[in-house]
């Protein structure tokens, strides 16, 4: 590789990103990264301040996790050039689940079987949340999954299991989440999202990333409350929803309409083949979408309200 060319590209990239950030890109607060430097994130967000190398390296050597540096018998690993400016977080998604079993059993299964999550939120009215897997490690919670074109989300996510029986007692009855449990989930998710700078649209349910295969965290999970009270996850603006309801097309059976729906769901993050046909997979994805954003009715039909919410979300988060 031509290093000179790479250097020049890097410099022009730096200038471009700085300009972008000062013009219109909203500066997003991202913790765990040093100040006095320009960082580029995969989402195109930049945190831009001036470089001050003399204090930069010194101040950040303290932040190195000494356990995560190679310890060699014959060589010293130098941190003189730490940190490189080209880096971002490995964790990009936050995935929420329900366990479908009680707390005791959840602890047993999630620590002794071939399934796990980083955190377990019990259903007791106490002050405890269990850490089961270190955040730097991969937990096995997502399985076959996809979001925004990225598969196998175990690699790139933090997983939270919430103790809730879901619809295990009856197919049409979902167990509610008590308020004290949601408060735990709210604080925990807020902390994680802030530390990793996770985008609102990357806070998802298992059902979103595995539609049809997984129903959790189910239609009673209060996504709207999480958004309004903790600033976690995505939610549409009512004014946009009402606007789009008026634009709901009269012919909802045409290939054109179905293709548009599939493209819109794709754009938001769901994995869905664009076939132009209202096929089984499309219905499964619509049900997952409704469970998240229109839980009052999740029948897999793209009615006016469902359609308008989808459009409003894309307008807000994927313009
Ligand atoms: Zn799950």
């Amino acid at each position: 590789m031509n290093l000179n060319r790479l250097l020049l590209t890097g410099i022009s990239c730096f200038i471009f990103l700085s300009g972008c950030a000062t013009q219109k890109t909203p500066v997003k607060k991202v913790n765990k990264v040093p100040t006095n430097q320009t960082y580029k994130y995969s989402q195109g967000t930049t945190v831009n301040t001036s470089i001050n190398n003399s204090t930069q390296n010194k101040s950040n050597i303290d932040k190195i996790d000494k356990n995560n540096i190679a310890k060699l018998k014959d060589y010293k690993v130098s941190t003189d050039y730490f940190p490189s400016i080209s880096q971002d977080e490995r964790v990009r998604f936050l995935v929420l689940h329900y366990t479908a079993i009680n707390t005791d059993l959840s602890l047993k299964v999630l620590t002794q079987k071939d399934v796990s999550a980083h955190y377990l939120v019990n259903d007791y009215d106490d002050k405890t949340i269990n850490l089961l897997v270190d955040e730097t490690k991969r937990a096995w919670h997502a399985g076959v999954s996809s979001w925004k074109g990225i598969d196998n989300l175990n690699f790139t996510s933090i997983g939270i299991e919430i103790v809730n029986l879901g619809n295990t007692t009856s197919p049409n009855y979902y167990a509610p989440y008590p308020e004290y449990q949601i408060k735990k989930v709210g604080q925990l998710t807020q902390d994680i999202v802030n530390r990793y700078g996770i985008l609102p649209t990357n806070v998802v349910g298992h059902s979103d990333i595995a539609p049809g295969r997984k129903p959790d965290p189910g239609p009673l999970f209060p996504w709207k409350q999480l958004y309004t009270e903790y600033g976690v996850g995505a939610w549409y603006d009512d004014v946009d929803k009402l606007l789009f309801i008026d634009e709901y097309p009269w012919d909802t059976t045409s290939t054109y309409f179905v293709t548009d729906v599939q493209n819109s769901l794709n754009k938001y993050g769901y994995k869905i083949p664009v076939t132009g046909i209202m096929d089984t997979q499309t219905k499964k994805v619509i049900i997952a979408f409704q469970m998240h954003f229109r839980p009052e009715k999740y029948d897999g039909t793209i009615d006016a309200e469902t359609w308008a919410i989808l459009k409003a979300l894309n307008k807000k988060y994927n313009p």
Side-chain angles (χ1 to χ4, degrees):
M1 185 179 286
N2 184 331
L3 279 180
N4 274 337
R5 223 166 97 192
L6 190 66
L7 186 64
L8 282 171
T9 312
I11 290 168
S12 53
C13 212
F14 172 84
I15 294 165
F16 172 73
L17 287 168
S18 305
C20 265
T22 50
Q23 280 175 2
K24 63 175 185 176
T25 308
V27 175
K28 191 179 180 69
K29 183 175 175 289
V30 179
N31 295 331
K32 282 182 78 177
V33 294
T35 52
N36 297 330
Q37 202 159 1
T38 298
Y39 271 80
K40 177 187 165 192
Y41 295 93
S42 50
Q43 298 89 2
T45 311
T46 61
V47 176
N48 179 29
T49 56
S50 61
I51 288 179
N52 182 347
N53 276 325
S54 57
T55 55
Q56 166 93 24
N57 287 338
K58 270 200 184 94
S59 66
N60 283 299
I61 284 173
D62 293 337
K63 293 180 182 174
I64 295 174
D65 182 349
K66 298 242 164 56
N67 294 318
N68 290 331
I69 304 177
K71 295 168 193 67
L72 310 175
K73 185 162 69 75
D74 297 327
Y75 303 95
K76 169 185 174 261
V77 175
S78 166
T79 53
D80 290 352
Y81 296 92
F82 177 89
S84 171
I85 66 164
S86 297
Q87 58 176 294
D88 57 12
E89 296 289 356
R90 290 180 193 270
V91 173
R92 293 180 57 193
F93 307 99
L94 178 60
V95 183
L96 304 187
H97 307 256
Y98 65 52
T99 59
I101 47 179
N102 68 30
T103 295
D104 285 348
L105 211 51
S106 297
L107 278 167
K108 207 170 182 176
V109 170
L110 291 168
T111 56
Q112 293 171 32
K113 301 284 183 188
D114 59 351
V115 59
S116 62
H118 294 93
Y119 293 96
L120 176 72
V121 178
N122 66 33
D123 59 349
Y124 304 147
D125 189 4
D126 63 10
K127 300 292 180 194
T128 301
I129 291 169
N130 291 104
L131 175 72
L132 309 181
V133 176
D134 190 286
E135 286 186 8
T136 60
K137 303 281 187 186
R138 183 161 63 108
W140 300 354
H141 59 96
V144 177
S145 52
S146 183
W147 192 250
K148 292 188 184 174
I150 294 171
D151 295 331
N152 300 322
L153 266 72
N154 282 344
F155 287 98
T156 48
S157 69
I158 295 284
I160 299 176
E161 286 279 2
I162 307 162
V163 175
N164 176 285
L165 293 182
N167 66 342
T168 53
T169 52
S170 166
N172 295 320
Y173 171 80
Y174 280 87
Y177 291 87
E179 190 58 30
Y180 56 77
Q181 191 183 35
I182 293 307
K183 282 184 178 168
K184 290 184 183 183
V185 174
Q187 276 199 27
L188 177 62
T189 54
Q190 190 179 54
D191 178 87
I192 293 167
V193 161
N194 286 342
R195 276 188 292 118
Y196 291 101
I198 295 174
L199 291 177
T201 50
N202 285 355
V203 181
V204 290
H206 203 180
S207 50
D208 293 312
I209 62 172
R213 192 174 72 80
K214 294 289 178 182
D216 57 313
L220 294 191
F221 184 78
W223 290 104
K224 187 180 180 182
Q225 186 184 351
L226 212 61
Y227 171 82
T228 51
E229 292 181 17
Y230 298 90
V232 171
W235 202 257
Y236 56 88
D237 292 335
D238 277 324
V239 60
D240 288 332
K241 183 182 94 170
L242 294 174
L243 224 64
F244 281 114
I245 279 181
D246 284 342
E247 293 178 19
Y248 185 62
W250 61 269
D251 181 6
T252 58
T253 57
S254 70
T255 306
Y256 175 82
F257 176 75
V258 178
T259 302
D260 179 63
V261 168
Q262 289 168 334
N263 279 328
S264 300
L265 287 164
N266 243 327
K267 190 176 180 181
Y268 190 71
Y270 291 90
K271 184 174 188 175
I272 176 172
V274 179
T275 59
I277 300 163
M278 193 54 77
D279 47 35
T280 312
Q281 183 57 21
T282 304
K283 288 206 166 195
K284 285 177 181 172
V285 172
I286 294 170
I287 289 171
F289 178 81
Q290 288 172 325
M291 277 189 172
H292 192 139
F293 293 108
R294 213 282 303 273
E296 295 79 13
K297 192 178 179 189
Y298 47 94
D299 59 357
T301 303
I302 190 90
D303 52 45
E305 189 182 34
T306 307
W307 184 83
I309 291 170
L310 176 58
K311 291 284 172 183
L313 283 166
N314 275 333
K315 181 188 170 191
K316 185 172 178 179
Y317 295 106
N318 305 305

